[in-house]
Amino acid sequence: VYSPSGATINGLPTYTYQVSHALNNIDSVIAAIADPVTVQGTENIKLVSDIYLNKQLTINKPNVTIAGKKAAGGNYTIFGNFDKTDNSNNSLLGVQANGTKIKNLNVNGQNRQLHGVNVYEATGVELTDVALSNNAHAGMIVGKDANVTVNNITTTKNGWYGINVDKKSGTSATLTVLGTSSHDEDSTAHIWIDNRTETGNTVNDPN
């Protein structure tokens, strides 16, 4: 945006980074996103092809939106092309920032030792029209002090369960399920709640 001297720009800027498979891992895009403390606005990552990750993509900047909708219809896919090595490299997408939004995306672990999405100490996280499939463990983890809303979520053939709500001792984890959710985990649970008799572990699923 360019403003000649004396002009005023109203509203907050929006930055959109278009990412294709030519960039093998997109953590460099996350690193390029400005610190929201100094630059106010919305930061977007828009996929323009399928992505094959060779390590976990960690989202640690607030209010980032990742979107994978194809112009011709359907959604792009993030594939896991690595095995789990430790707790910092155990998921395709590690969400550690408030206000993260993931939209119109397929997250496919390809049966490696992975979770699809792992949300940890992040609130206001939203997944909309997201499919989580073929992850060796859970399609998604709602972990320590996480607050997550899913809208039209699909989980398919994840080894542990579709979604695992898993708070730690003395913390909380909240999952809200909206829209139409679809699960096909064979004999495992669609939504599994660890420590379900303890306070601080909440699932709101009106359906």
Side-chain angles (χ1 to χ4, degrees):
V1 177
Y2 171 75
S3 172
S5 177
T8 300
I9 298 174
N10 295 315
L12 300 177
T14 297
Y15 303 89
T16 299
Y17 302 84
Q18 294 195 6
V19 178
S20 74
H21 64 276
L23 185 57
N24 192 40
N25 61 66
I26 59 177
D27 56 344
S28 59
V29 174
I30 296 291
I33 289 176
D35 187 343
V37 173
T38 58
V39 177
Q40 298 297 312
T42 302
E43 308 281 4
N44 299 314
I45 297 174
K46 180 181 178 181
L47 271 61
V48 294
S49 76
D50 294 337
I51 299 289
Y52 290 81
L53 294 180
N54 59 12
K55 65 177 181 178
Q56 174 177 299
L57 173 65
T58 300
I59 303 165
N60 54 13
K61 303 286 183 68
N63 304 318
V64 169
T65 296
I66 296 180
K69 191 172 185 63
K70 297 180 180 178
N75 299 331
Y76 287 113
T77 300
I78 289 181
F79 292 96
N81 200 27
F82 62 98
D83 294 324
K84 171 184 174 179
T85 56
D86 55 37
N87 287 334
S88 66
N89 198 45
N90 69 354
S91 307
L92 275 75
L93 300 178
V95 178
Q96 300 174 9
N98 297 340
T100 300
K101 293 180 175 59
I102 302 171
K103 303 189 302 182
N104 303 110
L105 190 65
N106 303 321
V107 181
N108 188 332
Q110 302 188 110
N111 296 307
R112 310 290 280 269
Q113 293 300 306
L114 302 168
H115 307 303
V117 177
N118 189 347
V119 185
Y120 189 81
E121 293 185 341
T123 63
V125 176
E126 298 177 9
L127 277 70
T128 303
D129 295 314
V130 173
L132 307 163
S133 64
N134 299 315
N135 296 285
H137 293 169
M140 181 170 68
I141 301 285
V142 180
K144 177 185 175 185
D145 289 332
N147 186 306
V148 179
T149 298
V150 297
N151 193 342
N152 298 338
I153 196 80
T154 300
T155 68
T156 306
K157 300 204 168 19
N158 297 289
W160 281 3
Y161 352 87
I163 302 174
N164 180 18
V165 182
D166 182 16
K167 81 184 194 75
K168 305 302 180 184
S169 177
T171 68
S172 65
T174 301
L175 171 68
T176 300
V177 182
L178 301 177
T180 302
S181 55
S182 174
H183 304 277
D184 179 14
E185 259 58 64
D186 295 328
S187 61
T188 60
H190 299 165
I191 299 175
W192 177 270
I193 310 170
D194 284 310
N195 306 310
R196 8 187 219 287
T197 60
E198 294 186 14
T199 59
N201 231 3
T202 304
V203 173
N204 303 309
D205 186 354
N207 294 323

